[in-house]
Amino acid sequence: MNTPADRIELFSYWRSSAAYRVRIGLNLKGLEHQITPVHLVRDGGQQHSEGYAALNPQELVPTLVHGDLVLHQSMAILEYLDEVFPEPPLLPDDAPGRARVRALAQLVACDLHPLNNLRVMQFFSDTWNVPQTEREDWTRHWMQVGFDAMERLLVESVDTGRFCHGDTPTLADCCLVPQLFNARRFNVDLGPYPTLVRIDEACLALPAFDAARPENQVDCAG
Amino acid sequence: MNTPADRIELFSYWRSSAAYRVRIGLNLKGLEHQITPVHLVRDGGQQHSEGYAALNPQELVPTLVHGDLVLHQSMAILEYLDEVFPEPPLLPDDAPGRARVRALAQLVACDLHPLNNLRVMQFFSDTWNVPQTEREDWTRHWMQVGFDAMERLLVESVDTGRFCHGDTPTLADCCLVPQLFNARRFNVDLGPYPTLVRIDEACLALPAFDAARPENQVDCAG
């Protein structure tokens, strides 16, 4: 679909849920791309290397390079992809629908995931000496708070379909699926969230989501 | 500008930086609106009341009601306002520019502010008994990490102008200004961030930003 001049390179880490979101988006759009792994732990964290920090001063993944353009922030990247490669769309065509999808995506990307990512866990262990069990309690706590709200928002809306919004995947699904991967990793009880689980299952049945799974990445540690 | 059928009501708290973002956006668009204060501490937190939780299951501010529509998440709300009331625009008209503005906004809204908001501080004090000085160290730490990256991104780009992107305010400025208010509240040294400070000053010289300041809200505790 994209031409050689439009070369797309994604700096990714197999287990990063922000990178996972963009992998899903690239696959849904059918865009050929190269994945360059950035190991977030090895070498003191390759995201802190001088070369990568020049590309992304936040020293976080993902970074997407499209031609000469360097893009940061998973949701900004997904919106960009949706504008430049509009088919199939990741956002509905009405303003209220787009607001709903963005709000669901941001529930995960702003209020849930940032509290649980690697650098936060490292702060707790290295600076505050918080024991692992308490760090994991923290992680589960914020996931549950976020999932409680998301389940309710999905159950109570007629706009919820096979996916978070209607019957085609959107930005919200790109955020939900990686977050459920994280939840399973931390043994969050998903019993109270039947709608999240049902949508996750519907997503992962699609090849675009399946190919983006952490366990299907070249840099997966197994 | 908006008609009575388009009545806009913002559920806000004077010191919430997410609500502050939306207040700026409403003012920049010149949209008449009613502000309904939600006190985040009083009554055990009015955002946890049954009535408000029905409106916003995340039990967070802001919530924007526009006619029959209930909208959550500050950035989703700002994007909605920009689509429905396009003038003046909060996003540039080119896809790379929009991606840059969204990434700067998300640097604040996804990676910085969520780590420092009230519910996180309450978790530290109530569940982990973290002393106030350490809680404030945490807050300053994440602001400095975020500001280091944002200053560099702004200094290194030719797209930075009087404001974060060019010479008119965007979504990025709506996020930056409330975050600098928070930084001052927590005595973050802003010396290393001359560009952030310069842009903040340019913003606050505009009546739309000035009227949105926490200290200019009806519910300001002074």
Side-chain angles (χ1 to χ4, degrees):
Chain A
M1 196 181 216
N2 43 320
T3 67
D6 282 339
R7 199 178 138 274
I8 294 178
E9 179 176 8
L10 178 68
F11 291 82
S12 170
Y13 178 61
W14 64 289
R15 213 157 57 176
S16 153
S17 73
Y20 188 176
R21 292 173 202 150
V22 177
R23 294 197 302 260
I24 296 168
L26 287 167
N27 293 345
L28 283 169
K29 300 279 182 190
L31 295 168
E32 274 186 47
H33 58 279
Q34 177 194 325
I35 287 190
T36 302
V38 179
H39 200 294
L40 299 190
V41 182
R42 202 175 293 156
D43 309 325
Q46 295 175 348
Q47 73 278 25
H48 304 304
S49 70
E50 209 178 315
Y52 188 77
L55 208 61
N56 185 327
Q58 280 200 272
E59 303 175 20
L60 295 170
V61 291
T63 300
L64 188 93
V65 177
H66 180 212
D68 293 333
L69 207 61
V70 178
L71 302 161
H72 307 139
Q73 290 287 343
S74 61
M75 288 194 304
I77 293 171
L78 288 167
E79 295 254 7
Y80 171 84
L81 291 174
D82 208 38
E83 293 178 355
V84 175
F85 306 99
E87 294 302 328
L90 296 179
L91 288 167
D93 57 12
D94 61 310
R98 279 194 296 277
R100 178 172 181 264
V101 166
R102 288 186 176 121
L104 289 169
Q106 290 165 19
L107 182 158
V108 172
C110 298
D111 290 328
L112 202 167
H113 171 249
L115 295 166
N116 294 336
N117 72 6
L118 178 68
R119 61 185 192 157
V120 170
M121 295 302 118
Q122 286 173 336
F123 185 99
F124 289 152
S125 60
D126 299 350
T127 307
W128 283 357
N129 297 310
V130 177
Q132 188 177 346
T133 53
E134 291 187 39
R135 295 199 307 266
E136 292 182 0
D137 286 345
W138 155 278
T139 298
R140 278 187 288 269
H141 170 76
W142 295 113
M143 285 204 218
Q144 285 159 348
V145 168
F147 289 164
D148 286 349
M150 196 165 183
E151 178 74 19
R152 183 168 169 185
L153 285 165
L154 289 169
V155 165
E156 290 180 354
S157 169
V158 295
D159 293 325
T160 304
R162 181 165 175 76
F163 300 103
C164 286
H165 193 87
D167 294 327
T168 53
T170 63
L171 187 57
D173 303 290
C174 294
C175 291
L176 174 64
V177 168
Q179 194 56 53
L180 283 194
F181 165 80
N182 274 347
R184 292 193 180 94
R185 203 179 137 206
F186 286 92
N187 300 311
V188 173
D189 174 15
L190 295 177
Y193 314 115
T195 313
L196 303 187
V197 170
R198 169 182 72 69
I199 293 172
D200 179 61
E201 208 174 284
C203 289
L204 287 169
L206 302 177
F209 282 83
D210 184 59
R213 282 178 193 257
E215 52 270 39
N216 291 335
Q217 300 312 298
V218 285
D219 57 331
C220 173
Chain B
M1 195 180 216
N2 42 320
T3 66
D6 282 340
R7 198 178 139 273
I8 294 178
E9 178 176 7
L10 178 68
F11 292 82
S12 169
Y13 178 61
W14 64 290
R15 214 156 57 177
S16 153
S17 73
Y20 188 177
R21 292 172 203 149
V22 177
R23 294 197 302 260
I24 296 168
L26 288 166
N27 293 344
L28 283 169
K29 299 279 183 191
L31 294 168
E32 274 187 46
H33 59 279
Q34 176 193 326
I35 287 191
T36 302
V38 179
H39 201 294
L40 298 189
V41 181
R42 201 176 291 157
D43 310 325
Q46 295 175 348
Q47 74 278 23
H48 303 305
S49 70
E50 208 177 318
Y52 188 77
L55 207 61
N56 185 328
Q58 280 201 272
E59 303 176 19
L60 295 170
V61 291
T63 300
L64 189 93
V65 178
H66 180 212
D68 293 334
L69 207 60
V70 178
L71 301 162
H72 307 139
Q73 289 287 342
S74 62
M75 287 194 304
I77 293 170
L78 288 167
E79 295 254 6
Y80 171 84
L81 291 174
D82 208 38
E83 292 178 356
V84 175
F85 305 101
E87 294 301 326
L90 297 179
L91 288 168
D93 58 12
D94 60 311
R98 279 193 296 276
R100 178 173 182 264
V101 167
R102 287 185 177 123
L104 290 169
Q106 289 165 20
L107 182 158
V108 172
C110 298
D111 289 329
L112 201 167
H113 171 249
L115 295 166
N116 294 337
N117 71 6
L118 179 68
R119 61 185 194 157
V120 170
M121 294 302 118
Q122 286 173 336
F123 185 99
F124 288 151
S125 60
D126 301 350
T127 307
W128 282 358
N129 297 309
V130 177
Q132 188 177 346
T133 53
E134 291 187 40
R135 295 200 305 267
E136 292 183 0
D137 286 346
W138 155 277
T139 297
R140 278 187 288 268
H141 171 76
W142 295 114
M143 285 205 218
Q144 284 160 347
V145 168
F147 289 163
D148 286 350
M150 196 165 183
E151 178 74 19
R152 183 168 169 184
L153 285 165
L154 290 169
V155 165
E156 290 180 355
S157 170
V158 295
D159 293 324
T160 304
R162 180 165 175 76
F163 300 103
C164 286
H165 193 87
D167 294 328
T168 53
T170 63
L171 187 58
D173 303 290
C174 294
C175 290
L176 173 64
V177 169
Q179 194 56 54
L180 282 195
F181 165 79
N182 274 347
R184 292 194 179 93
R185 201 179 139 207
F186 286 93
N187 300 312
V188 173
D189 175 14
L190 295 176
Y193 313 115
T195 313
L196 303 186
V197 170
R198 170 182 70 72
I199 293 172
D200 179 60
E201 208 173 283
C203 288
L204 287 168
L206 302 177
F209 282 83
D210 184 60
R213 281 178 192 258
E215 50 270 39
N216 291 336
Q217 302 312 299
V218 285
D219 58 330
C220 173

